[in-house]
Amino acid sequence: MGLNPRAGRALRTLVTSVASDAHTWNLLHLQLVIEEMGHQVVNLGACVPDATLVAECLARPPDLVVVSTVNGHGAHDGLHLIRALRDHPRLPRFPVVIGGRLGTDGIADPARTRRLLDAGFDGVFDAGADLSEFRFFVDALASRLATTGSWRG
């Protein structure tokens, strides 16, 4: 892993979708954005079963998991995914974020965001979120990790 010139430490990042989402352009776009920021990316692709993500995280624990969804079922499927990660006894508590079209209405919903955060996501980027918000989150995470050695500030 190289040095991230903006944040001080390159993150090992997993990019994935929820199990029901077959869209890939969003995943490729995020991969390019994250790599441009100086981080390593493993793109698991579309329609990733929760068990596959858990297995990947067990094999090579990431610094960050980024879940992107376009099909409008992200909030529903995301709740299953985060529970699979957070409830696994052998997985450390690394940061996990979700974003994209989280509901079929395509409108940001504060109650939906709260449910996802309460379930264990560290960041939620609902419909209309600006990419700069995501970049800020990743930069802050990388800085914390470089400075304190911990994901939690």
Side-chain angles (χ1 to χ4, degrees), residues 25-46:
W25 284 111
N26 54 316
L27 301 172
L28 293 171
H29 177 73
L30 279 170
Q31 177 179 344
L32 293 172
V33 166
I34 296 165
E35 287 174 344
E36 179 182 86
M37 294 175 72
H39 303 293
Q40 178 189 28
V41 176
V42 174
N43 187 336
L44 298 180

Side-chain angles (χ1 to χ4, degrees), residues 121-138:
F121 280 100
D122 298 282
V124 177
F125 304 93
D126 206 342
D130 189 281
L131 190 57
S132 64
E133 296 172 46
F134 173 73
R135 287 178 186 265
F136 179 81
F137 180 94
V138 174

Side-chain angles (χ1 to χ4, degrees), residues 57-112:
C57 291
L58 284 167
R60 290 172 291 285
D63 295 313
L64 173 64
V65 172
V66 177
V67 182
S68 180
T69 181
V70 177
N71 72 354
H73 301 286
H76 179 266
D77 292 349
L79 289 173
H80 295 284
L81 181 149
I82 197 65
R83 288 178 187 132
L85 290 174
R86 298 301 188 218
D87 291 347
H88 197 286
R90 291 184 23 232
L91 282 178
R93 187 158 177 17
F94 43 77
V96 181
V97 299
I98 189 168
R101 190 168 180 214
L102 300 175
T104 55
D105 58 7
I107 300 170
D109 178 355
R112 179 173 52 224

